[in-house]
Amino acid sequence: MEVTRRTLASDNAAPVHPEIMEAIASANLGHAVAYGDDPWTRSACEALAGQFGTECTVAFVYNGTGANVVGVQTALSSFNSVVCSDMSHVAVDECGAIEKLTGSKTDEVRSVDGRIDVAAIEKRLEVLGVEHHSQPRVVSVTQATEVGTVYSPEQIREIADLCHERGLYLHMDGARISNAAVSLGTDLAGTTIACGVDILSLGGTKNGAMFGEAVVVFDSELVVALPFIRKQSTQLASKMRYVAIQFERLFATDLWRRNAEHANAMARRLERELSTREGVEIVYPVEANGVFARMPQRVIDAAREEVFFYSWDAGDRVVRLMCSWDTEDEEIDRLLAAIDRAL
Amino acid sequence: MEVTRRTLASDNAAPVHPEIMEAIASANLGHAVAYGDDPWTRSACEALAGQFGTECTVAFVYNGTGANVVGVQTALSSFNSVVCSDMSHVAVDECGAIEKLTGSKTDEVRSVDGRIDVAAIEKRLEVLGVEHHSQPRVVSVTQATEVGTVYSPEQIREIADLCHERGLYLHMDGARISNAAVSLGTDLAGTTIACGVDILSLGGTKNGAMFGEAVVVFDSELVVALPFIRKQSTQLASKMRYVAIQFERLFATDLWRRNAEHANAMARRLERELSTREGVEIVYPVEANGVFARMPQRVIDAAREEVFFYSWDAGDRVVRLMCSWDTEDEEIDRLLAAIDRAL
Amino acid sequence: MEVTRRTLASDNAAPVHPEIMEAIASANLGHAVAYGDDPWTRSACEALAGQFGTECTVAFVYNGTGANVVGVQTALSSFNSVVCSDMSHVAVDECGAIEKLTGSKTDEVRSVDGRIDVAAIEKRLEVLGVEHHSQPRVVSVTQATEVGTVYSPEQIREIADLCHERGLYLHMDGARISNAAVSLGTDLAGTTIACGVDILSLGGTKNGAMFGEAVVVFDSELVVALPFIRKQSTQLASKMRYVAIQFERLFATDLWRRNAEHANAMARRLERELSTREGVEIVYPVEANGVFARMPQRVIDAAREEVFFYSWDAGDRVVRLMCSWDTEDEEIDRLLAAIDRAL
Amino acid sequence: MEVTRRTLASDNAAPVHPEIMEAIASANLGHAVAYGDDPWTRSACEALAGQFGTECTVAFVYNGTGANVVGVQTALSSFNSVVCSDMSHVAVDECGAIEKLTGSKTDEVRSVDGRIDVAAIEKRLEVLGVEHHSQPRVVSVTQATEVGTVYSPEQIREIADLCHERGLYLHMDGARISNAAVSLGTDLAGTTIACGVDILSLGGTKNGAMFGEAVVVFDSELVVALPFIRKQSTQLASKMRYVAIQFERLFATDLWRRNAEHANAMARRLERELSTREGVEIVYPVEANGVFARMPQRVIDAAREEVFFYSWDAGDRVVRLMCSWDTEDEEIDRLLAAIDRAL
């Protein structure tokens, strides 16, 4: 198999970080009790307790969709709804996994720069108590958002306060939470439990892991059902140690931060350079590891031939350029050169 | 982390086979399009086409529960039922994943030595066409069974014929299909497509992989919905290459066979030795890699202290001794010695 | 349309009792707020509070399957199971409605004379706490059972005690609870709340109503979700008064008792007469309004030509003869005459 | 029970039309095979075949939510979506019944005057074939709409053509289809099968019935599963004759038309009168039996005291005035007088 060139397609097109590969190999010794009752899993949970405090409960799962549906299920009955952004992964990129696995409605709120706000959420709560309507029970925010922006701690806190006043829970889809924390200059707790988040999908895959995410639950009432939900939702790994060791390596060290810092820095460089090009327009604030830019179609075509990336809104000629832990200046240079030639 | 001693607990307590670890490392180069549109996945699909013929469609998933629920969904509506053994993993060991993800009923048939037969299945088909009852649509057999027995090709064929006559599909839970094929002296096709199986859950994890199973669909009408079912059921891996490369290594080479042959041989040795011990009774024919034995409780306790294993039926003092690709004579010797001391 | 002769097919083949028809007509005046906020519904709830005490919460629904799935949902998460008889309507006669609407498994226990007992239920509770298995959360008993037997108050109480000790709830499918209460010589409370039942499907249709059943919830924690569950499960009637008035008439008067007494008495007569016929065997104790009898096939055929009824187990030549509020001696005489001629 | 005064609250606050009550009483004779195998049901199906042609298949259900979820299920897998208006009953007034019973997403399209159009629908079809997104499979339109407007036959046809070109089905929520047909001057076929509708929820309750709706399926491939879907979705009535006779009376005679004509005429009178009042603004074209008007709050309060009705958008001071088969000039006069006094 030939090596494929690096792209700006997605942070999950990137390979596994060598330190994680090394960690996986180190766990490949002897027998371990299956399904998580093993020392690697305990060690990884301790690493996360170190990040979030000891009150959290962790359930490792396979992927982001799995983390989201397992996490929100801890709070949902089928007659509930999940209030979320109209760009949110849970609403538009999981082929209806929420609806299938919970029976709940995803109640999409118009987002601004990928974020939803308290006023818009509050409007959806008017139906509370009326049997004809799905009952909002969870608000889900994505941090960093699907368009590379980041909620401030104050924004998260404000949404959490509203949730808790009205008997709802706050879920955070943190597939890229490391990128958000780095962007905000906080630790992981600083944009989650410190702001009132109740349920977190903690991403590993997009930050250099091979596979695996973690559901982190901060509300003790929600944890009782967690093991059963994970199992029934097909998200319980038998050889759990190979998931756990990745999280141990990412979060017991500063690897999560190094990877995210690098990816974010590459995105900022891209933004800096692109914003000087006439004809290229940055369409969302660049606050994490993604750059969304509008360009003439012939520029898109030429640039993509040089370095692969995806369209975000083909009709509007907006493209998404995702940086990852392994993005190098080389491909950014190549991309820019191709853009300049085409402009 | 200290190395844990080998056990007879489960074939998923075993580590990853070194050739598979090496293969995974070899795929960790450069970028790959996510979700399976990559050369490793294509290569793995070709390897499976080599095993099963070119008419099959393959969808890699994360685990056995995932493979089963994704596979049977291709044939099910919610008003259907899955006729299966009362010991089957789909009915009793997946926390109701079939019910949750399909809405269908698992219709348990009394098994004999882990197997169900045509007569028992046929009785469940009497409700066909009557709106008050869940409509049987899939028969699911486990090969090798949960108690280490194996269906003969003739038995599978007979069930498949009944299914097809009555408009049903035959699903095979092949978490240990390699062990079954080795036991039967056939290739993988010889106990699946050659016998009329329509949908196969092809196991990797219990045969030396890190994680990952494959849904293999032999009926062309059932494949249209497969990608959507996999995604919505949370079983689509983003960094797919790391699943695919494991299957490529297992099934493009004879690794699947070597691993299964070894585990089966160890089980046969265990059976041979145990059957000479007075007070120890083998309760199911040993046809794959598991040995089920009844022993006095003090013998169980003493043996387990030496080499860990699980009870199968605690009240009846039946234990399950599972061999895996890495089982060595050493732990069998230790187990037998402990048994002999206690007897 | 010609009038059809009375049958012994089912208590829901019978027409509506004239007093109920009269009650319905009496409610057909002026406007009523839809969905139950009307005086007829309040009055019917009061009638049921008179039967069960003031702590119960009532939700009227359309039919028995609706009552069962709405009722059990108040206690279930999808990873739960409902322990029930292998003859129970919820498990075998609702086309998988429980599975579809709750995602839970129906865990069938072998019944004896239609009843399940504490020992058999207890065996199913061994899986409690183990994430691989559906978690029993509700035990469902049918009173009177599907084969016309009746649980004694002591039997119900024993099951309820087990449920409550182990954190489960007891649901009673009371499609024929009036027949059971009459048979036991108790009032409706005497076989339900007085014995520890938590959730009751209270039957109307089989006791002379046109349509409509009531979910009666005795556990205050379970009622919060009830209105939403009913609505989402398609069981909320808009012109609710026409359901409610039927329950008001049945249960604010002794109509429920008169109808059940009559049907039970007719069944006892049938039993008495049949048990004197050589070649006819009563296969279940006749304790409510159904008689189950084994007869030679030619006798079945001849009798059915005279008075229609259904087979219960065709292979075993067992038929079901159901009496209803309108059964008269005339058709029993005709049936017996036909049987005598054929014997 | 005292008679309640007529309101403008809802067409399901109205009582049952006397001709339907009389029909119900006429069916209350003798025994009938349960679940629809009876002469009344056959007769009602013939009446509907007379309306729609002989190719249709009819399944009677209990209510509108039941009709909608049973109907769309004939075409849906859980990974599908139902494209519908953001005001549609299926999306916002059924407490998530579609999501629960089908696992599918309701994909809300912004409506204009309650209607959705081809351009907006087409935009939602861009995801067809992409596994990450719920796959549109059904478009659902409401006729008459939730805000009292009516799709023209051409508009329905245009949507149907788009559906069929792209492999989708067109569902019509016809809770008020009689009002729509009368408004358009067509028969029932003229706004359904003649325009390409594949699945119809045919309303009875809001047009003078006691309870009951009909699912009418025009596509022969969709009917196979219909009986099982109805049963499993809790919508199969045992004493079916009492549903069927209502449909027979409504649709074998011109009762459906008389009732709808009357309600529509009353709405037009209301519109005519209100539009002359300064300070009162009609906010949607009045094309069926509902009038939506914006008024000063004190006028709303005063008018509602005289004749009860509901707010539609409380913040925007828009109220909904629904006329029904029994609306009389008397309450309209009272309403107008109260409005005039308050203005």
Side-chain angles (χ1 to χ4, degrees):
Chain A
M1 197 71 56
E2 279 185 60
V3 179
T4 313
R5 292 212 295 186
R6 285 187 302 279
T7 69
L8 294 163
S10 174
D11 25 17
N12 57 32
V16 181
H17 191 279
E19 295 180 32
I20 294 179
M21 280 301 291
E22 181 277 322
I24 289 174
S26 78
N28 199 37
L29 288 170
H31 277 216
V33 174
Y35 304 115
D37 188 11
D38 65 77
W40 294 276
T41 303
R42 280 187 288 276
S43 182
C45 288
E46 278 163 32
L48 293 180
Q51 292 283 350
F52 296 109
T54 54
E55 296 307 300
C56 72
T57 299
V58 174
F60 294 109
V61 295
Y62 285 114
N63 63 0
T65 299
N68 287 336
V69 298
V70 167
V72 297
Q73 272 181 87
T74 62
L76 291 177
S77 295
S78 65
F79 55 81
N80 288 133
S81 67
V82 177
V83 180
C84 56
S85 137
D86 55 359
M87 283 178 166
S88 64
H89 203 268
V90 293
V92 300
D93 289 308
E94 300 181 353
C95 200
I98 294 278
E99 286 82 357
K100 179 185 187 73
L101 277 95
T102 73
S104 299
K105 186 181 179 67
T106 47
D107 190 6
E108 301 179 21
V109 167
R110 185 153 302 236
S111 58
V112 178
D113 285 345
R115 289 180 287 248
I116 56 175
D117 65 18
V118 159
I121 296 166
E122 207 155 16
K123 197 141 182 57
R124 301 306 169 97
L125 306 188
E126 289 171 5
V127 298
L128 279 172
V130 183
E131 70 195 327
H132 300 282
H133 312 298
S134 294
Q135 296 292 293
R137 182 72 168 166
V138 167
V139 172
S140 179
V141 294
T142 310
Q143 177 78 318
T145 72
E146 288 79 4
V147 294
T149 56
V150 171
Y151 287 87
S152 73
E154 295 70 33
Q155 288 171 323
I156 300 289
R157 166 51 70 191
E158 210 184 352
I159 294 173
D161 287 348
L162 173 64
C163 287
H164 299 154
E165 272 164 37
R166 304 297 295 274
L168 281 77
Y169 294 96
L170 179 56
H171 168 256
M172 179 174 280
D173 178 348
R176 296 188 182 97
I177 193 174
S178 297
N179 303 91
V182 160
S183 173
L184 292 167
T186 68
D187 54 15
L188 292 171
T191 183
T192 56
I193 188 170
C195 306
V197 169
D198 299 298
I199 310 158
L200 171 66
S201 297
L202 173 62
T205 313
K206 288 178 167 136
N207 199 22
M210 182 185 290
F211 68 107
E213 313 277 303
V215 178
V216 187
V217 179
F218 301 113
D219 184 296
S220 61
E221 289 186 18
L222 299 184
V223 304
V224 182
L226 186 56
F228 307 103
I229 291 170
R230 176 173 62 173
K231 173 69 187 185
Q232 194 186 26
S233 303
T234 79
Q235 287 288 318
L236 178 62
S238 55
K239 296 185 174 177
M240 184 68 86
R241 54 174 142 171
Y242 300 102
V243 186
I245 190 71
Q246 300 182 65
F247 276 80
E248 201 272 349
R249 192 55 55 101
L250 272 171
F251 295 105
T253 74
D254 67 348
L255 182 55
W256 68 272
R257 186 186 296 277
R258 281 185 281 134
N259 283 349
E261 274 173 353
H262 178 80
N264 286 9
M266 288 289 113
R268 280 197 312 274
R269 186 194 154 200
L270 249 181
E271 177 203 19
R272 236 171 17 241
E273 303 263 19
L274 286 175
S275 58
T276 66
R277 266 70 179 178
E278 202 152 339
V280 177
E281 185 189 351
I282 304 294
V283 296
Y284 294 113
V286 177
E287 298 172 356
N289 62 321
V291 178
F292 294 73
R294 187 179 291 110
M295 308 185 202
Q297 190 59 47
R298 69 169 198 292
V299 178
I300 294 174
D301 296 342
R304 177 144 46 193
E305 199 130 313
E306 190 61 43
V307 182
F308 185 72
F309 55 80
Y310 288 108
S311 285
W312 180 251
D313 183 336
D316 198 26
R317 292 169 296 103
V318 174
V319 302
R320 184 184 82 157
L321 306 166
M322 291 304 288
C323 298
S324 46
W325 69 265
D326 76 332
T327 302
E328 297 196 4
D329 284 323
E330 185 268 336
E331 59 265 25
I332 293 184
D333 293 340
R334 281 196 290 120
L335 181 88
L336 294 168
I339 288 174
D340 288 341
R341 281 194 304 272
L343 274 171
Chain B
M1 198 71 54
E2 277 185 61
V3 178
T4 313
R5 290 212 298 186
R6 283 187 303 278
T7 70
L8 294 163
S10 175
D11 25 18
N12 59 32
V16 180
H17 192 280
E19 294 179 33
I20 293 179
M21 280 301 289
E22 181 275 323
I24 289 174
S26 79
N28 199 37
L29 288 169
H31 277 216
V33 174
Y35 303 114
D37 188 12
D38 66 75
W40 293 277
T41 304
R42 280 188 289 276
S43 183
C45 288
E46 277 163 33
L48 294 180
Q51 292 283 350
F52 295 109
T54 53
E55 296 307 300
C56 72
T57 300
V58 173
F60 294 109
V61 296
Y62 285 113
N63 62 1
T65 300
N68 287 337
V69 299
V70 167
V72 297
Q73 273 182 86
T74 61
L76 291 176
S77 295
S78 65
F79 55 83
N80 288 132
S81 67
V82 177
V83 179
C84 56
S85 138
D86 55 359
M87 284 177 165
S88 64
H89 203 268
V90 293
V92 300
D93 289 308
E94 300 183 351
C95 199
I98 293 278
E99 286 82 359
K100 181 186 185 72
L101 278 94
T102 75
S104 299
K105 185 180 179 68
T106 47
D107 190 6
E108 300 179 21
V109 167
R110 185 153 304 236
S111 57
V112 178
D113 286 346
R115 288 180 287 248
I116 56 175
D117 65 17
V118 160
I121 297 166
E122 206 155 16
K123 199 144 179 56
R124 301 307 168 99
L125 306 189
E126 288 171 4
V127 299
L128 279 173
V130 182
E131 71 195 326
H132 299 282
H133 312 300
S134 294
Q135 297 291 294
R137 181 72 169 167
V138 167
V139 172
S140 179
V141 294
T142 311
Q143 177 80 315
T145 74
E146 288 77 7
V147 293
T149 55
V150 171
Y151 288 87
S152 72
E154 295 69 35
Q155 287 171 322
I156 300 289
R157 165 52 70 189
E158 210 185 352
I159 295 173
D161 286 346
L162 173 63
C163 287
H164 300 153
E165 271 162 39
R166 304 296 295 274
L168 282 77
Y169 294 96
L170 179 56
H171 168 256
M172 179 175 279
D173 178 348
R176 296 186 181 99
I177 194 174
S178 297
N179 303 92
V182 159
S183 173
L184 293 167
T186 68
D187 54 17
L188 293 171
T191 183
T192 56
I193 187 169
C195 306
V197 169
D198 299 299
I199 310 159
L200 171 67
S201 297
L202 173 63
T205 313
K206 287 178 168 136
N207 199 21
M210 182 185 289
F211 69 108
E213 313 277 302
V215 178
V216 186
V217 179
F218 301 114
D219 184 298
S220 61
E221 289 186 16
L222 300 182
V223 304
V224 181
L226 186 55
F228 306 102
I229 291 170
R230 175 173 63 173
K231 173 70 187 185
Q232 193 186 25
S233 303
T234 78
Q235 287 287 319
L236 178 63
S238 55
K239 295 185 174 177
M240 184 68 85
R241 55 174 143 171
Y242 300 102
V243 186
I245 190 72
Q246 300 182 64
F247 276 80
E248 200 272 349
R249 192 55 55 102
L250 273 171
F251 296 105
T253 75
D254 66 348
L255 181 57
W256 69 272
R257 185 186 298 276
R258 280 186 282 135
N259 283 349
E261 276 174 347
H262 178 81
N264 286 10
M266 289 289 112
R268 279 198 313 273
R269 187 197 152 196
L270 249 180
E271 177 203 18
R272 238 174 10 245
E273 304 263 20
L274 287 174
S275 58
T276 66
R277 266 72 179 176
E278 202 151 339
V280 177
E281 184 189 351
I282 304 293
V283 296
Y284 294 112
V286 177
E287 298 171 357
N289 62 320
V291 178
F292 294 73
R294 186 179 291 109
M295 309 184 201
Q297 189 61 47
R298 68 168 198 293
V299 180
I300 293 175
D301 296 342
R304 178 146 43 195
E305 200 130 312
E306 190 61 42
V307 182
F308 186 72
F309 54 81
Y310 287 109
S311 285
W312 179 251
D313 183 336
D316 198 26
R317 293 171 294 103
V318 174
V319 303
R320 185 185 79 156
L321 307 166
M322 290 304 289
C323 298
S324 45
W325 69 266
D326 75 332
T327 301
E328 298 195 6
D329 284 321
E330 184 268 336
E331 57 265 26
I332 293 184
D333 293 338
R334 282 196 287 120
L335 181 89
L336 293 169
I339 288 173
D340 288 340
R341 283 193 303 272
L343 274 170
Chain C
M1 197 70 55
E2 278 185 60
V3 179
T4 314
R5 292 213 294 186
R6 284 187 303 276
T7 70
L8 295 163
S10 174
D11 26 18
N12 57 33
V16 180
H17 192 280
E19 294 179 32
I20 294 179
M21 280 301 290
E22 181 276 322
I24 290 174
S26 79
N28 199 37
L29 287 170
H31 276 216
V33 173
Y35 304 114
D37 188 12
D38 65 77
W40 293 277
T41 303
R42 281 188 288 276
S43 182
C45 288
E46 279 164 31
L48 293 180
Q51 292 284 348
F52 296 108
T54 54
E55 295 306 300
C56 71
T57 299
V58 174
F60 294 109
V61 296
Y62 285 113
N63 62 1
T65 299
N68 288 335
V69 298
V70 167
V72 298
Q73 272 181 87
T74 62
L76 291 176
S77 295
S78 65
F79 55 82
N80 288 131
S81 67
V82 178
V83 180
C84 56
S85 137
D86 56 359
M87 283 178 167
S88 65
H89 202 268
V90 293
V92 300
D93 289 308
E94 300 183 351
C95 199
I98 294 278
E99 287 82 357
K100 180 186 187 74
L101 277 95
T102 74
S104 300
K105 186 179 178 68
T106 47
D107 190 5
E108 300 179 23
V109 167
R110 185 154 303 235
S111 57
V112 177
D113 285 346
R115 289 179 287 247
I116 56 176
D117 66 17
V118 159
I121 296 167
E122 207 155 17
K123 199 142 181 56
R124 302 305 169 99
L125 306 188
E126 289 171 5
V127 299
L128 280 172
V130 183
E131 70 195 326
H132 300 281
H133 312 298
S134 295
Q135 297 291 294
R137 181 72 168 167
V138 167
V139 172
S140 180
V141 294
T142 310
Q143 178 79 317
T145 73
E146 288 78 5
V147 293
T149 55
V150 170
Y151 287 87
S152 73
E154 295 69 34
Q155 288 170 321
I156 301 288
R157 166 52 70 192
E158 212 184 349
I159 295 174
D161 286 348
L162 173 64
C163 286
H164 300 154
E165 272 163 37
R166 304 297 294 275
L168 282 77
Y169 294 96
L170 179 57
H171 168 256
M172 178 175 281
D173 178 349
R176 295 187 182 99
I177 194 174
S178 296
N179 303 92
V182 160
S183 172
L184 293 166
T186 69
D187 54 16
L188 292 172
T191 183
T192 55
I193 188 169
C195 305
V197 170
D198 299 298
I199 309 159
L200 170 67
S201 297
L202 172 63
T205 313
K206 287 178 168 135
N207 199 22
M210 182 186 289
F211 68 108
E213 313 278 301
V215 178
V216 186
V217 179
F218 301 114
D219 185 296
S220 62
E221 288 187 18
L222 299 183
V223 304
V224 181
L226 185 56
F228 307 103
I229 291 171
R230 176 173 62 173
K231 173 70 187 184
Q232 193 186 24
S233 302
T234 78
Q235 287 288 319
L236 177 63
S238 55
K239 296 185 174 177
M240 185 69 85
R241 55 173 142 171
Y242 300 102
V243 186
I245 191 71
Q246 300 181 64
F247 276 80
E248 201 272 348
R249 192 55 56 102
L250 272 170
F251 295 105
T253 74
D254 66 347
L255 180 57
W256 69 271
R257 185 185 296 278
R258 281 185 281 135
N259 283 349
E261 274 174 353
H262 178 80
N264 286 11
M266 289 288 114
R268 280 199 310 275
R269 187 195 154 199
L270 249 181
E271 177 203 19
R272 236 173 13 244
E273 304 263 19
L274 287 176
S275 59
T276 65
R277 266 73 180 176
E278 202 152 337
V280 177
E281 185 190 351
I282 304 294
V283 296
Y284 294 113
V286 176
E287 298 172 357
N289 62 319
V291 178
F292 293 73
R294 187 179 291 109
M295 308 184 202
Q297 190 60 47
R298 70 169 196 291
V299 178
I300 293 174
D301 295 342
R304 177 144 45 195
E305 199 129 313
E306 189 62 42
V307 182
F308 186 71
F309 54 80
Y310 287 108
S311 285
W312 179 252
D313 183 336
D316 198 25
R317 292 169 296 103
V318 174
V319 302
R320 184 184 80 157
L321 306 166
M322 291 304 289
C323 298
S324 46
W325 68 266
D326 75 333
T327 301
E328 298 196 5
D329 285 321
E330 184 268 337
E331 58 264 26
I332 293 184
D333 293 339
R334 281 195 289 121
L335 181 89
L336 294 169
I339 288 174
D340 289 340
R341 280 193 304 272
L343 274 171
Chain D
M1 199 69 56
E2 277 186 61
V3 178
T4 313
R5 291 212 297 185
R6 283 186 304 278
T7 69
L8 294 163
S10 174
D11 25 19
N12 58 32
V16 180
H17 192 279
E19 294 179 31
I20 293 179
M21 281 300 290
E22 181 275 324
I24 289 174
S26 78
N28 199 38
L29 288 169
H31 276 217
V33 174
Y35 303 116
D37 188 12
D38 65 77
W40 293 277
T41 303
R42 279 188 288 275
S43 182
C45 288
E46 276 164 32
L48 293 181
Q51 292 283 349
F52 295 110
T54 54
E55 295 308 297
C56 71
T57 299
V58 174
F60 294 109
V61 296
Y62 284 114
N63 62 1
T65 299
N68 287 336
V69 299
V70 167
V72 297
Q73 272 181 86
T74 61
L76 291 177
S77 295
S78 65
F79 55 81
N80 287 131
S81 68
V82 177
V83 179
C84 57
S85 138
D86 56 359
M87 284 178 166
S88 64
H89 203 268
V90 293
V92 300
D93 289 308
E94 301 182 350
C95 199
I98 294 277
E99 286 81 359
K100 180 186 186 72
L101 278 94
T102 74
S104 300
K105 186 181 179 66
T106 46
D107 190 6
E108 300 179 21
V109 167
R110 185 152 303 236
S111 58
V112 178
D113 285 346
R115 288 179 287 248
I116 56 175
D117 66 17
V118 160
I121 296 166
E122 206 155 15
K123 200 146 179 52
R124 302 305 170 97
L125 306 189
E126 289 171 4
V127 298
L128 279 172
V130 183
E131 70 195 327
H132 300 283
H133 312 299
S134 295
Q135 298 291 293
R137 181 72 168 167
V138 167
V139 172
S140 180
V141 294
T142 311
Q143 177 78 318
T145 74
E146 289 78 6
V147 293
T149 55
V150 171
Y151 288 87
S152 73
E154 294 69 35
Q155 287 171 323
I156 300 289
R157 166 52 70 189
E158 212 184 351
I159 294 174
D161 286 347
L162 173 64
C163 287
H164 300 154
E165 271 163 39
R166 305 296 295 273
L168 282 78
Y169 294 97
L170 179 56
H171 168 257
M172 179 175 279
D173 178 348
R176 295 188 182 97
I177 194 174
S178 297
N179 304 91
V182 159
S183 172
L184 292 166
T186 69
D187 54 16
L188 294 171
T191 183
T192 56
I193 188 170
C195 306
V197 169
D198 298 299
I199 309 159
L200 171 67
S201 297
L202 173 62
T205 313
K206 286 177 169 137
N207 200 21
M210 181 185 288
F211 68 108
E213 313 277 302
V215 178
V216 186
V217 179
F218 301 114
D219 184 298
S220 61
E221 288 186 17
L222 299 183
V223 303
V224 182
L226 186 55
F228 306 103
I229 291 171
R230 176 174 62 173
K231 172 71 187 183
Q232 194 186 24
S233 303
T234 78
Q235 287 288 318
L236 178 62
S238 54
K239 295 185 175 177
M240 184 70 84
R241 56 174 142 171
Y242 300 102
V243 186
I245 190 73
Q246 299 182 65
F247 276 79
E248 201 270 349
R249 192 55 56 101
L250 272 171
F251 296 104
T253 73
D254 67 347
L255 181 58
W256 69 272
R257 186 186 296 278
R258 280 186 282 135
N259 283 349
E261 274 173 353
H262 178 80
N264 286 10
M266 288 290 111
R268 279 197 312 275
R269 187 196 153 197
L270 250 180
E271 178 204 17
R272 236 173 13 244
E273 304 262 20
L274 288 174
S275 58
T276 66
R277 265 71 179 178
E278 202 152 337
V280 178
E281 186 188 352
I282 304 294
V283 296
Y284 294 112
V286 177
E287 298 171 357
N289 62 320
V291 177
F292 293 73
R294 186 179 292 110
M295 310 185 201
Q297 190 59 48
R298 70 169 197 291
V299 178
I300 293 175
D301 296 342
R304 177 144 45 194
E305 198 129 315
E306 189 61 41
V307 182
F308 186 71
F309 54 81
Y310 287 109
S311 285
W312 179 253
D313 183 335
D316 197 26
R317 292 171 295 102
V318 174
V319 302
R320 184 185 80 157
L321 307 166
M322 289 304 288
C323 298
S324 46
W325 69 266
D326 77 331
T327 301
E328 297 194 6
D329 285 322
E330 184 268 337
E331 58 264 25
I332 295 184
D333 293 340
R334 281 195 289 119
L335 182 88
L336 294 169
I339 289 173
D340 288 340
R341 282 192 304 272
L343 273 171

